[in-house]
Amino acid sequence: MKASTIRRWSAVHTWSSLVCTLFLLMLALTGLPLIFHHEIDHLLGDAPQLRDLPAGTPSLELQALVRAAEAHRPGEVLQYLGWDDDEPHAVLAITAARADTEPNASHTFMLDGCTGEVLPMPSANGGPMLFILRLHVDLFAGLPGKLLLAAMGVLFAVALVSGTVLYAPFMRRLAFGTVRETKPRTRWLDLHNLIGIVTLTWALVVGITGVFSACADLLIDAWRNDTLAALVAPYRDLPPPSRHAPADRLPAIAGEAAPGMRPDFIAFPGTRFSSGHHYTVFMKGGTPLTSHLWTPVLIDARDLAVTAVGQRPWYMDVLSMSQPLHFGDYGGMPMKVLWALLDVLTLVVLGSGLYLWWVRRAARRAA
Amino acid sequence: MSRRALPYRRVFAVPAAIALLSAAGLGAALLGDGLWDACAWLGLGVPCLLGGWPLLRRRPRG
């Protein structure tokens, strides 16, 4: 590599890193507790505790749960009902003032599927963990915040690639893993190179899936505008139905329309994931891999006829797969611990990079 | 620093192996549970160990 080429890559690495470092430090720090949000909820007593019922207690019909949810939040409408694999006897409910109210203004709670009893989920509606989540997701700035963080994620990827290119000239005369202990600066340079290169794949994957997740609003809008709009085109000029048929049979109807799949959540008419005329049941696949992918089944809210089984555009599949690959929640507790360790190592790379830039700058000024 | 400069192919040999191992680990846990998860722990455990160990190792005195 020519000296001028190295200088150019070095400038790319320095500036892409410098611009995104503060944001990345924030993301890595807030991301750390978020890896364990489930465990922290349990520790703080914020996790809903289902009552122990005798085995074989029958589940309530879905419409009874809809009524229980709406009775719990008078004046609000149900936006979503969802299932949790860890709590087969419960459903998650999300309500808001209107069907199209934005997610941050909605209210989340759990319903006991057998009794209809409401179990609050305080950490989903406020408190320190939600504060950390909002910082991590959008800096409390909505879409502009998300897009800013997405741009920082892209710069992070540029920094990782340029850093990898620069690894070569730095390490040509050193065996892999060498950390010279001569001066603090040399030691941290070698550690920065070593930790940076071994965590490269993980950092790239978490960074890029983070960018996709940050662009979720745009991708969902694209899905609404092309896929969903085409499916509900025949309904375009009809007034929205004044009454909705009961929700009881929705999972069964969707199950018949999409065999081999399980319902994950139901988007009620008028919400962001449905049309004003439909219940949309989001079905997930039966294998570990396809359980991350959703197939929407649109069901007419008036007569419960299946209007369409939606195709999944590629970008919605990418968005779906980005979630486990960003959260690290798909390989048990050991994987969460590894995710946290890799996160800490990334903090070391960010911090040492900042330190190396600073001492070099100071040395150049002194010269 | 007196070593002869290595060709880039050699410089990247070990990092490329670690990158492949991490990628396999990230993918494995998506495909199933049990043994697949264990593959993921191995694939991500190696970079954790290689990156964490020199950081924690006591520096030789002198």
Side-chain angles (χ1 to χ4, degrees):
Chain A
M1 210 179 287
K2 280 193 295 192
S4 61
T5 318
I6 295 175
R7 255 202 314 279
R8 235 171 275 144
W9 277 107
S10 183
V12 171
H13 187 60
T14 303
W15 286 104
S16 59
S17 311
L18 274 179
V19 175
C20 75
T21 287
L22 276 183
F23 291 94
L24 259 297
L25 282 170
M26 180 280 290
L27 289 168
L29 280 173
T30 52
L32 207 51
L34 290 174
I35 299 171
F36 299 106
H37 73 96
H38 216 76
E39 290 72 20
I40 292 172
D41 277 356
H42 275 278
L43 217 65
L44 298 178
D46 283 351
Q49 281 295 320
L50 283 172
R51 208 195 302 215
D52 277 327
L53 291 170
T57 309
S59 298
L60 289 177
E61 296 281 3
L62 217 45
Q63 188 61 29
L65 296 176
V66 172
R67 278 195 302 270
E70 288 177 341
H72 176 59
R73 302 286 295 177
E76 295 194 346
V77 295
L78 194 54
Q79 289 182 306
Y80 305 99
L81 270 187
W83 286 269
D84 183 347
D85 286 342
D86 298 332
E87 301 280 12
H89 299 296
V91 293
L92 284 166
I94 300 177
T95 62
R98 290 159 47 98
D100 60 358
T101 299
E102 58 113 10
N104 287 321
S106 57
H107 188 83
T108 304
F109 52 97
M110 193 177 260
L111 288 164
D112 187 313
C114 300
T115 65
E117 193 183 349
V118 169
L119 303 157
M121 296 178 67
S123 66
N125 303 300
M129 286 307 277
L130 190 70
F131 179 84
I132 292 172
L133 180 69
R134 285 293 308 273
L135 258 185
H136 190 89
V137 167
D138 68 357
L139 298 164
F140 290 93
L143 185 61
K146 288 180 189 176
L147 295 181
L148 174 71
L149 292 179
M152 294 305 126
V154 171
L155 280 179
F156 180 54
V158 171
L160 287 169
V161 170
S162 56
T164 305
V165 172
L166 289 173
Y167 179 85
F170 275 105
M171 295 302 292
R172 282 198 88 174
R173 290 170 195 281
L174 296 171
F176 173 81
T178 309
V179 178
R180 291 164 295 173
E181 309 277 358
T182 45
K183 284 183 298 184
R185 194 184 160 261
T186 326
R187 172 176 142 86
W188 282 110
L189 173 67
D190 288 350
L191 282 172
H192 182 82
N193 284 336
L194 173 62
I195 302 174
I197 203 78
V198 296
T199 58
L200 173 69
T201 307
W202 179 84
L204 262 180
V205 167
V206 173
I208 291 170
T209 53
V211 171
F212 273 108
S213 303
C215 296
D217 289 345
L218 302 182
L219 298 176
I220 293 165
D221 280 346
W223 172 78
R224 284 187 63 88
N225 289 334
D226 53 42
T227 310
L228 189 65
L231 294 178
V232 301
Y235 291 81
R236 204 170 42 204
D237 300 324
L238 298 176
S242 51
R243 289 179 59 83
H244 301 150
D248 296 336
R249 292 203 63 248
L250 290 174
I253 295 169
E256 278 163 36
M261 296 187 189
R262 295 175 291 152
D264 189 43
F265 71 95
I266 301 174
F268 280 65
T271 57
R272 188 180 185 211
F273 286 92
S274 195
S275 87
H277 303 269
H278 293 87
Y279 289 109
T280 302
V281 184
F282 281 79
M283 305 292 281
K284 56 181 184 177
T287 69
L289 186 63
T290 57
S291 70
H292 297 289
L293 302 173
W294 287 288
T295 298
V297 178
L298 276 81
I299 298 171
D300 191 307
R302 225 185 297 250
D303 59 12
L304 298 183
V306 174
T307 300
V309 179
Q311 296 293 312
R312 298 188 316 252
W314 65 270
Y315 53 84
M316 289 305 273
D317 277 356
V318 171
L319 183 60
S320 310
M321 292 312 294
S322 292
Q323 296 201 348
L325 287 169
H326 191 74
F327 303 155
D329 60 353
Y330 61 107
M333 182 46 85
M335 187 178 236
K336 289 189 185 184
V337 172
L338 289 168
W339 223 256
L341 290 173
L342 289 161
D343 185 283
V344 171
L345 287 176
T346 302
L347 279 169
V348 172
V349 175
L350 292 168
S352 58
L354 209 53
Y355 161 81
L356 290 167
W357 169 75
W358 184 257
V359 292
R360 225 179 107 198
R361 188 169 164 272
R364 225 187 272 156
R365 285 210 167 165
Chain B
M1 287 293 273
S2 56
R3 277 174 64 130
R4 210 156 47 84
L6 291 168
Y8 287 146
R9 206 158 35 83
R10 292 277 300 280
V11 175
F12 280 116
V14 180
I18 296 167
L20 281 177
L21 197 66
S22 318
L26 286 168
L30 285 174
L31 298 176
D33 294 326
L35 199 62
W36 291 104
D37 282 347
C39 291
W41 305 335
L42 181 75
L44 294 176
V46 166
C48 268
L49 218 65
L50 289 174
W53 170 243
L55 204 59
L56 301 174
R57 190 179 45 189
R58 276 184 61 171
R59 299 153 76 173
R61 288 173 183 278

